[in-house]
Amino acid sequence: MKAVVLYDKSDKSVEIRDVPVPAIGPEECLVEVKYCGICGSEPHMYHGQLTLLARPPVVLGHEWSGEIVEVGERVEGFAVGDRVTCETAAETCGVCALCRSGSYNVCPERRAFGFAVDGAFTRYVRARHHRLHHIPEGVTYEAAAMTEPICVAYNAVAEKSRIRPGDVVAIIGPGPVGLFALQVARLSGAGSIVVTGTKRDRARLELATKLGADIVVDVSEQNPVEVIRELGDGLGAHLVVDAAGVPPAIQQSLQIVRQNGQVTKVGWSLQPVNLTLDEIVAKVVTYQGAFSHTWTTWETCLELMRQGSVDTASLISEVWPITRWEEAFHRLEAMGAHKILLYPID
């Protein structure tokens, strides 16, 4: 079967290869992939970046949906023909304190689909039934392939952060995670939601307005500090969600957060941070990271999708075969799309 494979950690070490259909173990299912979304991490890996956790050769892709075509002898709760989506934590140790307490998403031995375990830019994926979730009736395969970034946003906003009704929430970075964070913040009772981006984010900022942002700020034209201080009591944002992660976003988050406020960083960056963090002390700011998700996050987000409470369709720009993976990577890097889904070919 055809697959998009990362075969080395060097620049442009990705290509289409023929790989065998995986054999499943007694607690695994074989799933025929319907769609797999492209995450921002994959173009980075194509350029030899964000490969610390990668173990090439490996099939890329971790945002996927599909149909079960084979089940192992000890699989419970799933059967051939079931529509499913899957968490990214393909393998964890299961015995460390983090796994035993439910925080397996940060298990030191965690190995993720598309990084260290073959992912879903192909026809078939094998997955442990513990990580699979049934797709609710009424949720399409296309929408279900967006569950993972929704869960990342939900974990950051609803689980790791605190929002009280009427709070001012600022979201830095209108990519898919930022746009889903906007929707979760609105569901959580936020009062005013401000989304900031750069000139290159113009189309994404327009989409943020459609999805419920009260104010969008192009930082090349407006000072977000001044905009946010015009809201509420003028002290700044109660919560800042940094979905960009780069040093300018870190600095911006510390400028716009209020005293006793929160900053939740969910965006990644390889760039060195050459700035003072003393504002965390001066403002008594709670600064934290948010990473990945767990079983309960997935079940909650799938229910929100079933209810129609989260808009996925507006974020899907293109649906292409995996043979167009490189064109899709370049289109996303050029900000020409919000989210591109790939589907397998024979």
Side-chain angles (χ1 to χ4, degrees):
M1 60 183 185
K2 302 294 184 184
V4 181
V5 177
L6 174 75
Y7 59 86
D8 194 76
K9 293 188 178 184
S10 58
D11 186 31
K12 297 183 179 179
S13 296
V14 177
E15 65 183 13
I16 291 279
R17 289 186 174 183
D18 286 309
V19 301
V21 176
I24 63 171
E27 295 186 346
E28 294 178 325
C29 296
L30 186 66
V31 183
E32 182 177 10
V33 176
K34 297 299 183 182
Y35 299 98
C36 186
I38 300 175
C39 172
S41 63
E42 280 128 12
H44 282 300
M45 294 171 73
Y46 171 64
H47 291 297
Q49 304 165 349
L50 293 181
T51 57
L52 179 64
L53 301 178
R55 299 185 184 181
V58 64
V59 179
L60 295 174
H62 61 268
E63 303 177 0
W64 55 282
S65 63
E67 178 183 338
I68 294 177
V69 295
E70 184 181 350
V71 296
E73 58 188 32
R74 293 206 297 268
V75 168
E76 298 178 358
F78 294 92
V80 171
D82 285 356
R83 302 187 321 131
V84 294
T85 183
C86 189
E87 299 178 34
T88 54
E91 297 177 8
T92 55
C93 76
V95 297
C96 71
L98 293 164
C99 284
R100 290 175 184 266
S101 61
S103 297
Y104 58 85
N105 58 311
V106 287
C107 169
E109 302 300 319
R110 179 183 186 272
R111 300 175 72 214
F113 286 109
F115 289 85
V117 175
D118 283 339
F121 286 168
T122 189
R123 172 70 67 182
Y124 296 103
V125 179
R126 65 182 180 93
R128 296 177 65 216
H129 72 275
H130 308 80
R131 298 291 182 258
L132 292 173
H133 296 261
H134 291 100
I135 299 173
E137 185 176 352
V139 177
T140 65
Y141 280 119
E142 294 93 333
M146 303 281 277
T147 311
E148 197 275 342
I150 298 173
C151 289
V152 170
Y154 187 90
N155 175 59
V157 176
E159 296 179 344
K160 299 299 182 185
S161 305
R162 181 189 68 247
I163 297 179
R164 295 189 176 95
D167 278 358
V168 175
V169 176
I171 297 168
I172 301 173
V177 170
L179 293 172
F180 284 130
L182 154 64
Q183 296 184 62
V184 175
R186 180 63 71 203
L187 291 171
S188 299
S192 298
I193 301 177
V194 180
V195 178
T196 74
T198 66
K199 185 177 295 185
R200 298 179 69 218
D201 290 315
R202 182 159 298 174
R204 293 178 172 184
L205 290 173
E206 291 176 359
L207 180 55
T209 299
K210 174 185 174 182
L211 294 173
D214 297 289
I215 301 172
V216 296
V217 178
D218 178 343
V219 298
S220 64
E221 298 178 354
Q222 291 179 286
N223 184 339
V225 177
E226 295 177 358
V227 172
I228 289 172
R229 289 190 181 278
E230 292 179 358
L231 303 173
D233 57 15
L235 292 175
H238 296 83
L239 170 65
V240 181
V241 179
D242 178 3
V246 295
I250 296 173
Q251 185 173 30
Q252 184 185 129
S253 67
L254 295 177
Q255 292 172 341
I256 63 181
V257 69
R258 69 191 285 118
Q259 288 82 350
N260 293 328
Q262 293 178 283
V263 176
T264 299
K265 184 178 187 296
V266 65
W268 292 76
S269 172
L270 296 177
Q271 301 176 30
V273 180
N274 185 25
L275 53 89
T276 178
L277 297 179
D278 284 350
E279 205 146 14
I280 294 176
V281 180
K283 288 184 172 181
V284 197
V285 171
T286 299
Y287 193 102
Q288 64 180 339
F291 173 70
S292 193
H293 27 65
T294 61
W295 189 89
T296 53
T297 315
W298 279 71
E299 288 297 304
T300 300
C301 290
L302 285 165
E303 174 61 16
L304 290 175
M305 295 164 70
R306 186 195 68 78
Q307 296 171 359
S309 299
V310 178
D311 182 348
T312 58
S314 294
L315 275 75
I316 299 174
S317 303
E318 310 283 354
V319 181
W320 290 346
I322 60 170
T323 49
R324 296 180 66 181
W325 68 268
E326 188 170 12
E327 179 185 355
F329 282 15
H330 291 319
R331 184 164 168 77
L332 289 168
E333 289 179 297
M335 302 290 195
H338 305 300
K339 176 68 72 172
I340 297 177
L341 304 183
L342 300 181
Y343 59 87
I345 62 165
D346 296 325

